[in-house]
Amino acid sequence: MNLYAQNRTDRFLLGYEIPAAAFQFFNPFYIILFAVPIANLWMWWKHRGKEASSLFKMANGVIIMGLGFVFMVFASMQYESVGKSALYWLALAYLFHTIGELCASPVALSFITKLAPVRYGALMMGVYFAATGLGNKVAGLIGESASEAGELTIFAGITIFCVVFGILVILILKPLKRLTHKAEDLREHQTDEEAEGFELADD
């Protein structure tokens, strides 16, 4: 994404050329802007009796992140036709990537603590972050191959993979939830009981 901003994007705004690194502003800005609304949205969704498990949230997060690359497909098409792509494509892509991240990343960390045995909890958290590092390495390899395969092919491929993978997880959600042995439900029940205990103690 940084390379695309540097080499393919028209970064002039009101006569000023925006540095490519400045596009990293979008992610933290969107996190600050949307973290609380998205958390409230999931609470509202759950209180309506809808599916709101961690697996469901993560699957939707992956789909939303994948859809963010649709804007990069449009950006690539614009670049091929006029030689530069507009900066708003990157802004929209980062918007969807951040919303997807807010749906997937926080619940993923929480999900690990719920599923992992107590003695292996710290180890599994380390494995999670190691997987994140591996993902960054894969992203670099994909970026290197973009010059040969073309950005349009790369972005379209990521979109299709993420959307298909997310839909597949949703389709097999019930078998996956059975594999968790209802650990998430038990942990939430324990949390509710602890909260009630604190309220009684306060009284």
Side-chain angles (χ1 to χ4, degrees):
M1 299 289 285
N2 286 331
L3 290 174
Y4 195 90
Q6 177 71 39
N7 302 322
R8 300 285 193 269
T9 303
D10 181 7
R11 293 180 282 112
F12 282 92
L13 181 65
L14 302 176
Y16 173 74
E17 185 177 15
I18 303 173
F23 285 85
Q24 294 303 304
F25 154 84
F26 285 116
N27 180 251
F29 173 73
Y30 289 144
I31 289 176
I32 293 172
L33 194 63
F34 292 107
V36 173
I38 289 177
N40 289 334
L41 174 65
W42 283 120
M43 291 296 296
W44 171 80
W45 185 259
K46 182 179 180 179
H47 289 156
R48 291 191 63 192
K50 304 292 185 179
E51 176 65 48
S53 64
S54 295
L55 289 169
F56 181 76
K57 294 175 184 176
M58 287 186 283
N60 278 278
V62 171
I63 293 173
I64 294 170
M65 282 189 281
L67 292 176
F69 283 99
V70 171
F71 298 107
M72 298 308 300
V73 171
F74 292 145
S76 299
M77 294 171 62
Q78 187 179 45
Y79 174 79
E80 291 182 357
S81 62
V82 301
K84 285 287 184 179
S85 61
L87 60 84
Y88 55 76
W89 294 122
L90 277 171
L92 290 170
Y94 278 121
L95 172 63
F96 274 66
H97 293 170
T98 303
I99 292 176
E101 176 188 355
L102 289 171
C103 291
S105 183
V107 295
L109 292 170
S110 174
F111 200 47
I112 290 173
T113 62
K114 293 173 183 175
L115 290 182
V118 176
R119 66 173 66 180
Y120 299 121
L123 175 63
M124 296 310 299
M125 291 291 286
V127 171
Y128 173 84
F129 286 109
T132 303
L134 178 62
N136 290 331
K137 175 63 176 179
V138 173
L141 295 175
I142 292 175
E144 291 177 1
S145 64
S147 59
E148 299 179 1
E151 286 88 356
L152 180 60
T153 302
I154 295 294
F155 292 139
I158 295 174
T159 299
I160 294 170
F161 174 81
C162 290
V163 172
V164 170
F165 183 81
I167 292 174
L168 177 63
V169 171
I170 292 174
L171 290 177
I172 61 174
L173 191 62
K174 289 185 178 179
L176 288 176
K177 289 177 69 174
R178 284 198 294 267
L179 291 174
T180 66
H181 304 289
K182 298 183 179 180
E184 187 174 17
D185 296 335
L186 291 174
R187 183 64 63 87
E188 290 179 356
H189 181 66
Q190 291 174 356
T191 303
D192 291 341
E193 288 184 343
E194 291 175 357
E196 291 177 359
F198 286 129
E199 290 177 358
L200 292 174
D202 290 337
D203 293 340

